[in-house]
Amino acid sequence: MNRVKDKVALITGGASGLGLASGKLLLEEGARVIFTDKDIKSLDLIPDLIDAKYRDFCSFKELDVTSEKNWQNVLNTVTDEYDGINVLLNSAGISIGADIVSTSFEVWKKVHEVNLDGVFLGCKYALPYMANSGKGSIINISSISGIVAGWNTAAYNSSKAGVRHLSKSIALYCGKKDIDVRCNSVHPAFVNTPILDPMKQAFGDKEAIEKLSRQIPIKKIGDTDDVAYAVLYLASDESKFMTGAEIVLDGGLSAM
């Protein structure tokens, strides 16, 4: 317990999926957590999903990660309220599957705007606050698709590969400038989150999960806690020597 005691963590995409699971675990381990999301209705439901003893240690704020002004406003508010920020988890993301020919330019720009531009803006504007707060950790949720490409996910592959290399660039920048903030990326394969909803709607929940599981060497997809525990490690001082790296959580997919 208390692996991240008294750390202040801001999470994007915090209303569901990996962001929500990670935020709940960070709370349990002693952090104060700001859940942010564009989906206000889902944000409003989070208190009912959190153990009552942790509710005084979290807050909820609307954030469109593609809005530069929104990022600036939220960070100003958060750092005033919490006197700094120690952990940034960029978890917001979307997936629109299409090959290079069938991907419209509009879809290409939208996927990159959320998945990559949103991470860029968060890191750019949070980093000075984190530097002033002392040592910190930036954790960017990428994907195994940022390492292993797929023929029918052109925009998603590109955006998530961009997150991987952006994370490395930020880590090197912090080292060069003697800023005690680490930056790493996390690369899950299929995890049972709302991002799988379109496939579930097309095939049904059971068949969709089975189809995805057959692609994984250990024959199952991931749970949100699989990623949340990696986030906890990176947020904690246990990972103080890890920066510019990635944690791959893919059930052996990239080993093939």
Side-chain angles (χ1 to χ4, degrees), residues 52-218:
K53 64 185 176 183
Y54 301 121
R55 290 175 191 166
D56 290 340
F57 300 95
C58 58
S59 60
F60 315 94
K61 301 190 183 300
E62 181 179 8
L63 174 60
D64 177 356
V65 297
T66 68
S67 168
E68 186 172 20
K69 185 174 181 59
N70 202 176
W71 264 113
Q72 292 170 313
N73 290 339
V74 167
L75 285 166
N76 281 332
T77 300
V78 166
T79 51
D80 284 344
E81 291 178 359
Y82 290 86
D83 196 30
I85 178 173
N86 310 110
V87 178
L88 171 65
L89 172 60
N90 284 305
S91 182
I94 61 173
S95 176
I96 302 176
D99 60 61
I100 185 62
V101 173
S102 59
T103 299
S104 68
F105 191 34
E106 181 181 4
V107 165
W108 173 269
K109 289 188 289 184
K110 181 62 176 178
V111 171
H112 283 79
E113 184 181 30
V114 176
N115 292 358
L116 184 54
D117 296 354
V119 174
F120 162 76
L121 290 171
C123 294
K124 173 181 174 62
Y125 288 111
L127 186 53
Y129 292 108
M130 298 178 75
N132 289 336
S133 300
K135 59 186 176 183
S137 176
I138 297 173
I139 307 159
N140 295 326
I141 301 296
S142 178
S143 168
I144 195 59
S145 295
I147 298 175
V148 178
W151 70 271
N152 60 344
T153 50
Y156 189 71
N157 282 160
S158 174
S159 67
K160 290 301 188 178
V163 170
R164 179 175 183 244
H165 266 63
L166 175 61
S167 301
K168 294 178 182 295
S169 179
I170 293 166
L172 294 174
Y173 169 82
C174 291
K176 180 74 172 178
K177 298 295 183 179
D178 292 324
I179 298 170
D180 197 3
V181 175
R182 299 174 293 106
C183 185
N184 297 284
S185 55
V186 180
H187 298 258
F190 312 118
V191 178
N192 198 0
T193 70
I195 208 166
L196 300 184
D197 285 351
M199 189 170 184
K200 290 180 178 180
Q201 291 167 4
F203 298 99
D205 287 10
K206 183 179 179 180
E207 185 177 347
I209 298 301
E210 289 177 350
K211 286 174 70 69
L212 295 174
S213 297
R214 286 194 291 270
Q215 300 179 48
I216 305 294
I218 62 173

Side-chain angles (χ1 to χ4, degrees), residues 26-47:
L26 291 173
L27 279 172
E28 293 169 9
E29 291 289 343
R32 291 173 289 167
V33 176
I34 303 99
F35 293 87
T36 74
D37 206 291
K38 187 178 180 180
D39 184 351
I40 294 298
K41 290 183 179 180
S42 294
L43 272 179
D44 290 341
L45 298 176
I46 295 179

